[in-house]
Amino acid sequence: MRLVLIALLSALLAPVAAAQTKLEVKDLRNHPFDVPFASERRLRMHLESGDYHIVGSDGNRIVVHLAGPRAATAKNLTVRLTETGAGADLRVFHAPKNELRVSIEIPRYTDLYVRMSGGDLDIAHVAGNKDVRLIAGDLTIDAGDPKDYAMVNASVRFGDVRADGFGEAKGWMGESLKTKGTGKYRLHAHVFAGDLMLNSSH
């Protein structure tokens, strides 16, 4: 009976192990992070404090670049990608807080989920659903055409919201903006303390 139970448990766990893979890279100057990632999937990012730029491209890959005075010495910076059948989870940690800019290139058509503790975060040329939260700092999203969105919800608890092309934010201590449209994407962006800017292409 014991052998039967072990065999059954192994059979149940095998698909889980096969469906999930993990890649971890350090010292990006000597070990570049450049991996395939299909378009139109969901990508979840968890970023430590810093200066980050997420940009969509026509390639089906995730590529991480470092720039700035501390790029050559950021050997402890770690990028970890855990991929499943439904999407992937990307984490960046042990990054220097100053004089380093981390650029993350992803497929243009990606459903993007980002959680970041503090710093500056720019997102550009990414077409898809977006769910982005920053605790403290400045968040800028080049969101494209407002007509592409079924819902836009942008808010700041302490700070300002500027949403050119999307409407006028309202509020006193914290500003917010909510709109509905006929597009297919949903955008949710929130900053607890800082400024939030939505840029449109029209």
Side-chain angles (χ1 to χ4, degrees):
M1 177 61 72
R2 182 179 180 185
L3 292 177
V4 173
L5 290 175
I6 293 175
L8 180 59
L9 182 60
S10 299
L12 290 173
L13 292 178
V16 176
Q20 187 176 81
T21 59
K22 182 182 293 185
L23 173 66
E24 184 171 303
V25 176
K26 294 183 179 180
D27 190 10
L28 268 63
R29 278 299 179 97
N30 296 310
H31 305 91
F33 190 93
D34 184 342
V35 299
F37 188 77
S39 183
E40 299 185 356
R41 298 177 66 201
R42 190 181 193 211
L43 181 60
R44 297 167 59 95
M45 292 190 188
H46 299 269
L47 309 174
E48 285 189 347
S49 297
D51 184 1
Y52 293 87
H53 179 57
I54 301 172
V55 59
S57 73
D58 293 328
N60 289 331
R61 309 190 69 82
I62 298 175
V63 185
V64 181
H65 305 279
L66 304 182
R70 301 191 66 180
T73 60
K75 294 185 177 181
N76 290 327
L77 183 145
T78 303
V79 181
R80 178 187 297 160
L81 180 71
T82 304
E83 188 167 355
T84 66
D89 188 292
L90 182 74
R91 296 177 182 267
V92 179
F93 47 96
H94 301 324
K97 300 299 187 292
N98 300 309
E99 298 183 324
L100 178 73
R101 184 170 179 82
V102 181
S103 295
I104 305 173
E105 182 180 316
I106 66 175
R108 185 181 308 277
Y109 296 97
T110 299
D111 284 341
L112 187 61
Y113 170 104
V114 183
R115 296 294 183 266
M116 180 171 159
S117 50
D120 295 327
L121 174 58
D122 297 332
I123 300 173
H125 310 306
V126 178
N129 297 306
K130 303 173 187 67
D131 185 344
V132 185
R133 293 189 181 186
L134 174 63
I135 295 177
D138 294 330
L139 171 59
T140 301
I141 302 177
D142 290 331
D145 192 340
K147 295 180 181 179
D148 291 338
Y149 294 91
M151 185 277 292
V152 174
N153 185 348
S155 62
V156 170
R157 184 67 180 88
F158 299 100
D160 299 318
V161 174
R162 196 175 84 184
D164 296 338
F166 287 89
E168 183 178 354
K170 299 180 180 180
W172 177 60
M173 182 177 293
E175 296 185 338
S176 64
L177 166 73
K178 293 183 179 181
T179 65
K180 292 184 178 181
T182 58
K184 62 179 181 178
Y185 299 132
R186 300 173 68 87
L187 189 158
H188 178 85
H190 178 73
V191 178
F192 182 76
D195 294 326
L196 168 57
M197 180 183 299
L198 296 183
N199 296 325
S200 71
S201 59
H202 293 275

